[in-house]
Amino acid sequence: MVVTEPSTNDDNDAESKTCGKILVVLSWILVIVTMPFSLFICFKVVQEYERAVIFRLGRLLTGGAKGPGIFFILPCIDSYARVDLRTRTYDVPPQEVLTKDSVTVSVDAVVYYRVHNATISIANVENAHHSTRLLAQTTLRNTMGTRPLHEILSERETISGNMQISLDEATEAWGIKVERVEIKDVRLPVQLQRAMAAEAEAAREARAKVIAAEGEQKASRALREASEVIGDSPAALQLRYLQTLNTISAEKNSTIVFPLPIDLLTYFIKAKEETTE
């Protein structure tokens, strides 16, 4: 027959539970003896936006965080930590980032986050807020370093969404919920700004020249079609001539225009050609 001795850990747990029960009983006796003065120490109040995480003899008290409102603690053996559940804003300082296409830019952002599980935020990490802020800086640098410059300038919403998902997944174990990430500004070097401005100006001038050339081409086609219409109908030329006179007389009344029939000029040209032959 084999006899197994209880392990050392089991003995320690049993002793700690026994000691804990004794201390709890003594604490209750102290509360009863010093009543009603002990009520000022035992009853605590937390606001609507706060939660209280209670530790009894160094262990988390069952039932989760307390609040909002009044809660009860035992003197000498209970301690508690207040946790603010309101959304906090963290302004990420400008980060010097080398983009995928080897361009140095300075990027800053804003992170909105809150504590959604008070117990985890106290028990799993030393300082949840400080850890979240450091992680936000690192995530910003890593995200911008994998993107070329044109994507950083044109796809800010997509980058912000990816950063929010990445931060939210990483801070879930800390009881933190990242609600929103916004990229505030992307600052480029002065020389790069001048080069981009010169490139944009050259592109605009090229487009302007192309548009002007297309306009000239369309105008020449329209004039050719108009000349064909006028050539088919001689009366159309006279009507156009009269319309031009009407326009000139409306704009400049002091101008005297003497209409010269084109047929007369044609007669003189033909006569000159016959004499030369």
Side-chain angles (χ1 to χ4, degrees), residues 247-266:
T247 304
I248 295 175
S249 63
E251 293 179 356
K252 298 180 180 180
N253 298 328
S254 61
T255 303
I256 300 175
V257 179
F258 178 73
L260 182 64
I262 297 180
D263 294 340
L264 181 62
L265 295 177
T266 305

Side-chain angles (χ1 to χ4, degrees), residues 190-202:
V190 179
Q191 296 180 353
L192 182 59
Q193 293 180 11
R194 294 175 180 174
M196 294 178 66
E199 181 182 0
E201 184 178 0

